Amino acid sequence: RATKTFRNETLSYVTSIAGLRHEIDAIHNSGVLVQSVLWNVGSARLLGAFLDMGVLRSPVYAHVLLANTFLAAHPPTVSGLRALVDFLPDHPDLHWTYSAVGANALSLVHAAVESGGHVSIGVGDYHYNELGAPTNADLVAEVVRMVRAVGREPATPAEVRQAFGLGA
């Protein structure tokens, strides 16, 4: 829950474009898929620039990070999600998920799925005590139920591996 307080008032997070390119090159060279974490419109626009420049290779995996505990991130609300997703680059090999740090991510499942996204959920981001402290398996089962309720079928592990060009 948003507390309107700061845990650390001296914290600065700075990564140069050159630093990001270096990290992306190192990840590509290791044979691992790059995960682009997007927490605001600027990071979504940067993803688009990196795609246009050929810095990132297909397939592209973007993780939309929504948070109550990190004020630079969009809030974990439908309007917060949509505001960021509206700026995702239009790319045929872009796959995106979202998570809601410090908030119940289940309230955003329908909005994400309807926008072409996927769900990343787990008790590491939020404990879901209002649901009786479920396990990760319980949360995944609930997301599967919700996704099927809107007429979509969750991807199988094999489908995910194929989409990202990962071996068996």
Side-chain angles (χ1 to χ4, degrees):
R1 149 191 125 197
T3 61
K4 300 190 178 33
T5 61
F6 300 97
R7 283 188 255 172
N8 182 336
E9 293 191 15
T10 61
L11 180 66
S12 257
Y13 180 80
V14 178
T15 304
S16 67
I17 299 300
L20 289 171
R21 290 180 77 145
H22 174 75
E23 290 174 18
I24 291 167
D25 288 344
I27 293 168
H28 280 310
N29 291 337
S30 71
V32 177
L33 182 68
V34 173
Q35 172 185 302
S36 298
V37 178
L38 313 175
W39 57 85
N40 56 34
V41 169
S43 56
R45 294 178 71 201
L46 180 61
L47 172 66
F50 279 168
L51 285 168
D52 290 346
M53 295 166 50
V55 173
L56 285 167
R57 299 178 197 152
S58 290
V60 179
Y61 172 54
H63 183 85
V64 173
L65 177 75
L66 307 168
N68 274 337
T69 57
F70 180 49
L71 295 179
H74 283 239
T77 62
V78 171
S79 60
L81 174 71
R82 287 200 173 126
L84 199 153
V85 168
D86 283 349
F87 286 89
L88 288 175
D90 184 20
H91 191 277
D93 290 328
L94 174 65
H95 306 276
W96 64 271
T97 63
Y98 80 92
S99 64
V101 178
N104 186 325
L106 295 173
S107 64
L108 301 173
V109 169
H110 291 126
V113 170
E114 289 169 357
S115 299
H118 307 278
V119 182
S120 178
I121 196 163
V123 296
D125 293 327
Y126 181 74
H127 298 299
Y128 298 88
N129 291 328
E130 70 274 21
L131 302 178
T135 65
N136 284 330
D138 294 333
L139 293 173
V140 169
E142 179 59 13
V143 168
V144 166
R145 184 197 66 72
M146 293 174 78
V147 168
R148 286 181 173 150
V150 296
R152 297 259 313 266
E153 189 62 28
T156 66
E159 290 168 333
V160 172
R161 283 192 295 275
Q162 180 179 4
F164 290 121
L166 304 172

